Amino acid sequence: MTPTRKKRLMAIVLILLGVGIATVLFLTAFKENILFYKSPSEVLAGDYPKARNFRIGGMVKKGSIIKSTNSLDVEFYVTDYAKDVKVNYSGLLPDLFRDNQGMIAIGQLDNNGVFQAEEILAKHDENYMPPEVAASLKEKPSNYETTDNSNNLDKEDK
Amino acid sequence: MLAEIGQFTLAFGMLLASLLAALPLYGYFSNNEKFMHTARPLAYLQLIFLLVSFLILVALFISQDFSVAYVWRNSNLALPLRYRISATWGAHEGSMLLWLVIQTIWTAAVAFYSKSLSRSQVARVLSVLGIISLGFTAFVFFTSNPFLRSIPAPFDGNDLNPLLQDVGLIIHPPILYMGYVGMSVPFAISIAALLGGKIDETWIRWSRPWTNAAWGFLTFGIVLGSWWAYYELGWGGWWFWDPVENASFLPWLAGTALIHVQAVSEKRNAFRGWTVLLAILGFSLSVLGTFLVRSGVLTSVHAFASDPKRGVFVLTLLAIYAGGALFLYALRANKLKSQGGFQLSSRETLLLANSIIFSVACFMVLLGTLFPLFFEAFGKKISVGPPYFGSMFFMMMMPMAVLLPLGMYYRWQKDELTRVLKQLLPSLVITLVLAVVVWFFFKPLNLKASLGVFGGAWVFVTAMFYLKDYKGKLTRAVWGMQIAHIGVAIYLFGVSMTEHTDFEIDSLMNPGEVKMVQGYAIEFKGVEVKQIENYRASQGHFVVSKNGKIVAEMNPQKRYYPKRGNPMTEAAIDPGFSRDLYISLGEQINDQGGWAVRIYIKPFIRWMWGGGILMMLGGFWAASDRRYFRHAKLLKQKNIDKYLKA
Amino acid sequence: MNKTVLKALIPLVLFLSLVFLLYNGLGKDTRLLPSALINKPVPTFSLPSLLNNKTLSNESFKGQMYLLNVWASWCPNCRVEHPMVTEFARQNIIPVYGLNYKDDDATAKAWLNQFGNPYSDILVDSKGLVGIDFGVYGAPETFLIDGDGIIRHKIVGELNPQNIQNELLPLIEKYKNTIK
């Protein structure tokens, strides 16, 4: 093999090696950083990624927010009007976070069925519901009951 | 009355755009001088009419004419004058009009600065630019008209989103749009060349200053956006890999690849096809960005009010521009084959490597941004988190930083690695010393930060040596390149330090409490309520000391605007050369005046933006190189001779 | 077509697939598809009235063709479309009812006092639960419901002369025989 050819071969091998390593690293980074979105119903049905972060989204259940007065801990329920999941979070809350507002939390479900949130997102304006939240809310069954009795919603059983 | 005049000038602008798109091009294909002659005047007229239209919209905002629906939606009586003006481009319709005006500005600039080119070249380029402005004018006129009335006129307006009542909104969009839209110039030049069936160095040389200028604006726009998000959003982040941010980054990456491959294709007969492809890609990404931001396809903090109808329109424009360009490219593929040969071991290869790195990075960011959309087609809802982008980007930039100096020192066509390395040896030694010193000073540094610091030092030292050893006249092009590369080095240092050695803490602070953070004593004095301009603020008072001496007094706010339901966070920042102190308020936690507080220490964060500014300056400086004007003069003379001979 | 041209067509092909993907993305958007509820019966509801002590339910509307306009005092575009709603109601084609969505009674009443009340009556959906059933995404939205209680059309966003003329009036004409 001539020296030029040898050089060229070396170069090609190096390039392929580089591309191979890059692809592996890229795929790993990619896979680990894809966050799935789950609604409370899906989570309670067991359909959520175990042992890794995912996103849970829905509405903040009215009246469910409990804030500590001597720490940054907060707990509340996220609901899709069919099922509720309790969420624990410690830290500063986004400005748009409140009752009856769409929100998305990133974290993991612990062994007690409580969602331990690392991050809370409520970043749209008042009149906007994230498409994912709206879509999952639409699939709810029609005989959901509210726990507080104001504004009765009489739904006939279908 | 004024609004109707605004509509009229817009409509007339659309007419002018269609004439500009059609007449000179027709003149080119039928070899009719008279028709080609119309290009420049039409370009100037188009500018005048659209500028008037835009200024009318501004006037409507200043005079607070709430009978115009767009003004009503984005302004109100309590809004200070400066924000009334910038509210013009605060939402979709107005910002689209701004985009349009900027398109006509670039078109007119090309008309003005093309005296050295032949009539047929100018006609082609301006016509393509006319096609582009026609598409966007139609878009504004038919789907996003800012002049529509709402009758009866409400007494008071709605409001401008408080996040946008800020100096950042005044400058960031115009500068960024200058960049986005500027990419249409190399695009148009490439199309014009393809139409004529050949890409020679005249075309590429002509497109270089335009590419550099557009890239400079884009760089500045991105820096401004990052800086604005940092101090405005209140949470200390400066880049979120949000789809809208990625929308601005994608054309920048393509633009960087383009600038570097133009360096080769101008001087050597190589990579001409690749140059054209990147020019097409750059502008297509700008249009894609506009589509992503305004169509509601991807959810984002920054997205404008989304409307699928508008989305379809922009997507159609994108299909026409990029699809048409790529089709033309395929048709002319045979004529684009480059002849110039070069060895593997040469500057050409290294610049190609740079181009590949940036193109791959561009593709990775595009993939990450669009992946959720792709996945949704299968019914699964996902999002791609920032760590993907961050680690992937790091992997790309490290080889780039290492190869950059080699690219500068390698000779054209044929060179030897050993020779280049020998030349770089002194710089390598100094780099290692510098890197070790920095490492000792700031340890502990993790692997990524250390590599980043080393990369930055390497680029910086070699740039300095290059300037010192340069034989021959130091032209603006060379200076520009070095300034931009030094900017890269400073950016690398800043981003490595701020990403990997920053400090963040959320805590509950009661009045009188002091928190010790990295040598700073931060005392929370309490929160008081104040009425300022058009909002009410809960303002916190913090006193920061170091070694007993007061370093800063910081006053973060929680603002309540009357027409908005939710509060807004205004962080307090103490900027510094070597670090930023950053404090923002959460909410009141207890009745004793205790508040949730976030404290950040961000080392060297300003170096990041400073590096970006240097990159911008380097781009502009290189664009102004007299070589282009001198060559233009020569070319003009050649054209005159040709004319006289003919 | 030789190899060079074939290779050169690859970018175009890739690009067209991207456009296709993006177009699909638009189509999937829940706001683009008016709703799966078109031509389906109105969801069951029972809500108090804002204006009096009555409770309004599906029974109350039997035999009537009407517009149900989703609005709220916090909704800026509702103010923009309000003159349109008022004008439509004034022409007495079919009654217009309001669905006061995720709002506060006092603020809603103040809003009506300031801008005028075009509605024959207003349902109070303070939690937005009925809105969810209707597939309401935000405000303003307007539903056309015929005399058999079937949803015949949904307009997302403001009412304007165009969509009234081109979308609502033809359908009102088409289903007018359901009015009892």
Side-chain angles (χ1 to χ4, degrees):
Chain A
M1 203 186 287
T2 66
T4 350
R5 256 208 213 130
K6 213 181 195 173
K7 250 203 237 167
R8 207 162 275 179
L9 187 64
M10 261 283 287
I12 294 178
V13 167
L14 275 174
I15 291 176
L16 281 178
L17 195 66
V19 168
I21 296 177
T23 316
V24 167
L25 286 171
F26 158 65
L27 285 174
T28 325
F30 202 59
K31 220 177 67 156
E32 281 172 14
N33 288 298
I34 294 186
L35 292 172
F36 285 95
Y37 172 91
K38 297 292 172 193
S39 67
S41 299
E42 288 170 305
V43 171
L44 282 171
D47 172 20
Y48 63 91
K50 321 281 187 300
R52 54 177 284 199
N53 278 2
F54 65 95
R55 300 193 308 160
I56 189 172
M59 308 296 272
V60 177
K61 186 164 173 175
K62 186 161 181 175
S64 70
I65 303 178
I66 300 176
K67 294 179 185 166
S68 158
T69 52
N70 53 10
S71 74
L72 296 180
D73 295 339
V74 64
E75 71 175 50
F76 60 94
Y77 280 85
V78 58
T79 180
D80 55 0
Y81 297 115
K83 294 277 191 293
D84 306 340
V85 172
K86 187 164 173 192
V87 179
N88 263 357
Y89 174 69
S90 185
L92 268 63
L93 290 164
D95 290 332
L96 291 168
F97 177 84
R98 58 177 180 177
D99 273 345
N100 248 348
Q101 202 73 23
M103 77 98 223
I104 293 179
I106 299 177
Q108 296 189 26
L109 201 71
D110 70 12
N111 294 328
N112 301 323
V114 176
F115 189 84
Q116 302 293 345
E118 287 174 16
E119 207 183 322
I120 306 248
L121 310 169
K123 41 186 184 177
H124 309 278
D125 71 67
E126 297 96 4
N127 315 333
Y128 181 91
M129 201 188 294
E132 304 106 322
V133 177
S136 61
L137 287 178
K138 279 212 203 102
E139 294 156 21
K140 72 164 186 76
S142 58
N143 50 359
Y144 178 72
E145 283 180 11
T146 54
T147 50
D148 57 341
N149 293 316
S150 65
N151 195 7
N152 281 323
L153 204 64
D154 289 327
K155 293 198 146 290
E156 299 140 3
D157 286 16
K158 290 224 163 87
Chain B
M1 191 66 236
L2 207 55
E4 278 68 35
I5 299 179
Q7 284 219 58
F8 171 72
T9 47
L10 181 63
F12 201 70
M14 188 160 61
L15 176 64
L16 288 169
S18 49
L19 289 174
L20 180 60
L23 298 182
L25 210 55
Y26 171 73
Y28 169 73
F29 283 119
S30 60
N31 234 317
N32 186 324
E33 283 280 331
K34 276 223 184 77
F35 275 97
M36 290 200 270
H37 231 106
T38 61
R40 284 207 184 95
L42 281 172
Y44 297 138
L45 269 175
Q46 190 192 222
L47 170 63
I48 293 172
F49 273 86
L50 275 159
L51 199 54
V52 167
S53 192
F54 180 73
L55 290 173
I56 287 178
L57 189 61
V58 176
L60 288 171
F61 266 93
I62 295 178
S63 66
Q64 311 219 286
D65 184 348
F66 295 128
S67 70
V68 177
Y70 180 71
V71 176
W72 176 85
R73 256 185 287 231
N74 294 290
S75 176
N76 73 4
L77 289 173
L79 200 62
L81 177 63
R82 59 192 188 282
Y83 298 135
R84 261 186 267 156
I85 297 175
S86 63
T88 311
W89 51 88
H92 171 73
E93 293 89 337
S95 67
M96 214 55 234
L97 186 58
L98 176 65
W99 178 295
L100 193 49
V101 169
I102 290 178
Q103 181 76 60
T104 59
I105 291 176
W106 280 97
T107 309
V110 171
F112 190 71
Y113 284 109
S114 54
K115 301 278 163 56
S116 62
L117 289 159
S118 73
R119 186 81 53 198
S120 91
Q121 288 172 317
V122 171
R124 273 176 277 166
V125 176
L126 288 179
S127 266
V128 174
L129 287 172
I131 294 174
I132 294 174
S133 38
L134 175 59
F136 282 111
T137 323
F139 178 60
V140 174
F141 189 74
F142 290 116
T143 75
S144 318
N145 193 331
F147 296 107
L148 296 175
R149 295 266 191 202
S150 123
I151 292 163
F155 174 65
D156 193 359
N158 181 39
D159 200 4
L160 181 63
N161 187 338
L163 276 178
L164 304 174
Q165 288 185 35
D166 179 86
V167 69
L169 176 63
I170 300 182
I171 45 175
H172 163 65
I175 301 278
L176 190 62
Y177 289 4
M178 284 293 283
Y180 274 138
V181 175
M183 295 301 283
S184 67
V185 178
F187 175 84
I189 293 176
S190 299
I191 302 292
L194 283 176
L195 283 172
K198 70 168 181 181
I199 312 271
D200 60 16
E201 63 236 15
T202 328
W203 284 109
I204 302 187
R205 182 165 301 141
W206 192 41
S207 78
R208 285 194 77 183
W210 295 103
T211 316
N212 280 320
W215 180 89
F217 277 111
L218 206 50
T219 310
F220 192 32
I222 293 173
V223 165
L224 283 173
S226 165
W227 170 68
W228 181 26
Y230 172 72
Y231 78 78
E232 183 62 21
L233 290 181
W235 305 114
W238 48 268
W239 190 260
F240 307 89
W241 296 104
D242 179 86
V244 173
E245 290 173 324
N246 294 349
S248 67
F249 201 43
L250 287 167
W252 186 89
L253 289 167
T256 309
L258 178 59
I259 288 179
H260 290 88
V261 87
Q262 277 173 338
V264 184
S265 58
E266 183 203 348
K267 298 198 173 81
R268 318 250 120 210
N269 189 342
F271 306 147
R272 297 259 160 97
W274 188 223
T275 307
V276 168
L277 211 50
L278 280 174
I280 295 176
L281 183 66
F283 181 60
S284 307
L285 288 170
S286 288
V287 181
L288 177 69
T290 276
F291 167 76
L292 290 176
V293 167
R294 296 164 196 272
S295 66
V297 155
L298 294 166
T299 46
S300 153
V301 202
H302 301 75
F304 289 101
S306 44
D307 182 346
K309 204 175 44 156
R310 292 168 175 165
V312 173
F313 200 109
V314 179
L315 192 58
T316 314
L317 286 181
L318 178 64
I320 295 174
Y321 298 151
L326 289 173
F327 182 65
L328 187 58
Y329 169 79
L331 272 177
R332 295 277 191 253
N334 275 321
K335 300 221 174 103
L336 290 173
K337 267 191 145 141
S338 304
Q339 279 98 28
F342 59 92
Q343 301 276 6
L344 197 60
S345 185
S346 65
R347 189 185 283 188
E348 283 92 330
T349 306
L350 279 157
L351 283 170
L352 179 66
N354 162 296
S355 195
I356 292 179
I357 289 176
F358 277 98
S359 307
V360 171
C362 183
F363 175 70
M364 305 278 230
V365 173
L366 187 63
L367 186 70
T369 310
L370 294 179
F371 205 72
L373 200 61
F374 175 66
F375 237 57
E376 224 177 286
F378 294 96
K380 287 215 177 291
K381 302 171 207 104
I382 61 153
S383 76
V384 180
Y388 156 74
F389 293 101
S391 53
M392 172 243 26
F393 197 64
F394 177 79
M395 282 194 301
M396 300 264 98
M397 291 303 111
M398 274 304 103
M400 188 269 313
V402 169
L403 293 177
L404 193 157
L406 274 91
M408 288 197 303
Y409 277 81
Y410 252 95
R411 293 209 188 99
W412 290 110
Q413 243 183 325
K414 183 167 129 169
D415 203 342
E416 284 186 22
L417 183 59
T418 39
R419 185 202 75 85
V420 175
L421 287 179
K422 227 163 75 176
Q423 238 192 328
L424 283 170
L425 197 56
S427 342
L428 183 60
V429 169
I430 302 207
T431 302
L432 284 169
V433 169
L434 184 59
V436 168
V437 164
V438 169
W439 190 87
F440 255 106
F441 210 73
F442 293 106
K443 64 178 176 172
L445 288 176
N446 63 16
L447 179 65
K448 271 197 179 160
S450 311
L451 286 174
V453 167
F454 174 77
W458 177 228
V459 173
F460 180 74
V461 171
T462 49
M464 290 305 192
F465 266 86
Y466 186 84
L467 283 170
K468 175 178 83 75
D469 294 335
Y470 194 75
K471 295 188 176 50
K473 184 149 174 274
L474 275 173
T475 60
R476 286 192 185 188
V478 177
W479 266 116
M481 167 174 83
Q482 295 308 94
I483 292 172
H485 287 166
I486 290 172
V488 171
I490 292 181
Y491 165 81
L492 278 175
F493 179 72
V495 78
S496 303
M497 296 306 278
T498 213
E499 275 287 275
H500 302 287
T501 65
D502 72 342
F503 182 84
E504 174 191 342
I505 181 171
D506 283 359
S507 50
L508 165 62
M509 288 187 84
N510 290 306
E513 219 179 295
V514 178
K515 258 218 152 33
M516 294 300 302
V517 176
Q518 292 203 334
Y520 292 99
I522 301 178
E523 182 186 357
F524 177 46
K525 291 273 199 200
V527 168
E528 59 170 351
V529 180
K530 294 182 146 179
Q531 183 71 37
I532 302 169
E533 279 190 332
N534 55 335
Y535 59 91
R536 182 175 49 94
S538 294
Q539 184 166 296
H541 186 204
F542 290 83
V543 177
V544 183
S545 344
K546 191 164 189 175
N547 299 327
K549 280 179 61 190
I550 293 184
V551 166
E553 301 223 7
M554 300 177 66
N555 303 307
Q557 292 175 345
K558 222 28 167 201
R559 291 187 185 175
Y560 303 89
Y561 287 83
K563 303 212 177 168
R564 304 262 156 178
N566 297 73
M568 213 195 89
T569 308
E570 190 76 11
I573 303 177
D574 181 50
F577 185 70
S578 66
R579 95 291 178 273
D580 265 26
L581 290 171
Y582 190 105
I583 301 180
S584 61
L585 288 174
E587 57 183 342
Q588 188 157 5
I589 298 287
N590 58 35
D591 295 325
Q592 292 83 48
W595 276 71
V597 175
R598 177 168 291 175
I599 298 173
Y600 267 116
I601 308 228
K602 294 197 163 282
F604 297 104
I605 191 170
R606 311 254 147 191
W607 286 53
M608 237 182 22
W609 300 313
I613 302 280
L614 280 176
M615 287 189 237
M616 167 200 79
L617 289 172
F620 285 149
W621 197 242
S624 69
D625 190 296
R626 259 172 250 109
R627 165 166 73 107
Y628 301 118
F629 298 103
R630 226 185 318 128
H631 195 264
K633 255 168 117 178
L634 277 171
L635 211 59
K636 192 171 182 180
Q637 193 58 44
K638 215 166 84 182
N639 282 334
I640 294 175
D641 292 341
K642 211 164 53 179
Y643 181 69
L644 289 173
K645 280 206 197 96
Chain C
M1 259 200 297
N2 60 21
K3 211 169 81 171
T4 322
V5 179
L6 276 174
K7 241 181 23 179
L9 277 173
I10 295 177
L12 181 61
V13 170
L14 286 175
F15 172 70
L16 288 175
S17 11
L18 175 68
V19 172
F20 178 70
L21 173 77
L22 291 172
Y23 184 72
N24 248 356
L26 278 177
K28 287 268 181 302
D29 187 65
T30 46
R31 286 157 287 176
L32 183 58
L33 305 168
S35 75
L37 288 175
I38 299 290
N39 297 330
K40 297 262 185 0
V42 165
T44 320
F45 63 85
S46 170
L47 291 174
S49 158
L50 182 68
L51 304 175
N52 49 52
N53 289 329
K54 288 200 283 191
T55 301
L56 298 163
S57 70
N58 303 61
E59 288 299 306
S60 331
F61 296 95
K62 249 206 173 115
Q64 282 186 69
M65 171 148 55
Y66 58 100
L67 279 190
L68 186 64
N69 175 250
V70 182
W71 69 278
S73 61
W74 45 256
C75 152
N77 288 350
C78 298
R79 264 181 274 187
V80 175
E81 78 161 0
H82 190 74
M84 218 59 256
V85 179
T86 308
E87 180 57 30
F88 184 86
R90 196 188 64 83
Q91 292 186 10
N92 254 325
I93 306 171
I94 53 175
V96 181
Y97 290 91
L99 182 73
N100 187 227
Y101 181 65
K102 290 172 83 167
D103 208 346
D104 170 68
D105 280 11
T107 331
K109 286 192 185 147
W111 193 93
L112 291 169
N113 274 336
Q114 185 176 4
F115 296 108
N117 178 11
Y119 304 110
S120 306
D121 210 333
I122 300 170
L123 298 93
V124 177
D125 184 16
S126 57
K127 288 177 178 205
L129 293 176
V130 169
I132 300 285
D133 282 341
F134 271 83
V136 166
Y137 197 76
E141 289 185 6
T142 305
F143 294 86
L144 174 66
I145 298 159
D146 73 10
D148 294 326
I150 311 279
I151 298 178
R152 291 300 178 187
H153 195 58
K154 172 179 173 181
I155 292 178
V156 177
E158 301 127 45
L159 281 179
N160 55 50
Q162 288 83 8
N163 56 28
I164 292 180
Q165 188 77 27
N166 301 331
E167 294 171 36
L168 287 180
L169 291 181
L171 286 170
I172 294 174
E173 180 62 29
K174 183 171 173 190
Y175 292 106
K176 66 179 180 198
N177 56 341
T178 63
I179 303 175
K180 307 218 182 1

